Amino acid sequence: LYTGLNIATMPDGMLEGIISRHNVSKDKAAEILDIYKTRRSQFLKLLKSEEVREVVVLPGTNHAPGEQLLPHVNLSIELLDTNLTYTQEEYEAHLAAVKELAASESNYHITFTDSHPLHDIQVISLKDTTIAMRCREPLAAFVFTNPLLAKEMRDYLHNLF
C-alpha cells in the first residue's frame, strides 16, 4: 500500500530531471540516485521470481486542506526529509510506464484507489516480512519478520481493495 507511485517503477532518466528542478545538493542527489538504482534493481530482480502486488493511492484524493496537489515522488524511508514533486507531465509518464509494466509483466499487479484507509502510512508486505512506515513527522517504521503476520497483512491488504 503506497501513498504514491513506487520509485522502483520510475522510467530510467526521469528522476534526474526531477532532481534538477529542485534545490538538491550534489551529495543528496547522488544519494537519491543510488537508492533509486538499488531499489529498481531489486524490484526487477524480484519480478523474475515473485509476484509483486501494489496498491497506489492516486494524487489529489488523499490530502489535507491546503496541501500541495502536485504528486510527490515516493522516496524511501531514508529520504523522507527530501521533498520532490512531479510535474503533471512527469507523473502521467510514470503512471503510463507503470500501466505498461503491469500489462507486460505477469508477476506485476497494481491496483489504483482514490481512498487510503491508513492516512500517511505505507505498508510493504514481502514473503516473510511486513514493513509499516509513517510518512510524515514524526517518522516511524516498524518491521515484522513473522511469516504468519506477513501473510495476514497481505491478505488484509488484498481484501481492502
Side-chain angles (χ1 to χ4, degrees), residues 11 27 30 32 70 97 104 113 119 122-123 127 130 137 141 153 158:
D27 289 344
I32 293 168
L70 282 175
S104 66
T113 182
H119 190 69
Q122 285 190 179
V123 179
K127 186 174 185 178
T130 296
E137 297 285 343
M153 182 56 76
H158 181 74

Side-chain angles (χ1 to χ4, degrees), residues 46 50 52 124-131 147 150-151 154:
L46 184 65
E50 304 275 340
V52 176
I124 301 168
S125 187
L126 305 170
K127 186 174 185 178
D128 293 335
T129 305
T130 296
I131 304 165
K151 181 191 178 309
R154 282 192 307 277

Side-chain angles (χ1 to χ4, degrees), residues 46-66:
L46 184 65
L47 275 181
K48 292 179 182 178
S49 61
E50 304 275 340
E51 266 196 359
V52 176
R53 295 186 181 276
E54 295 182 340
V55 177
V56 174
V57 180
L58 297 173
T61 58
N62 189 41
H63 64 279

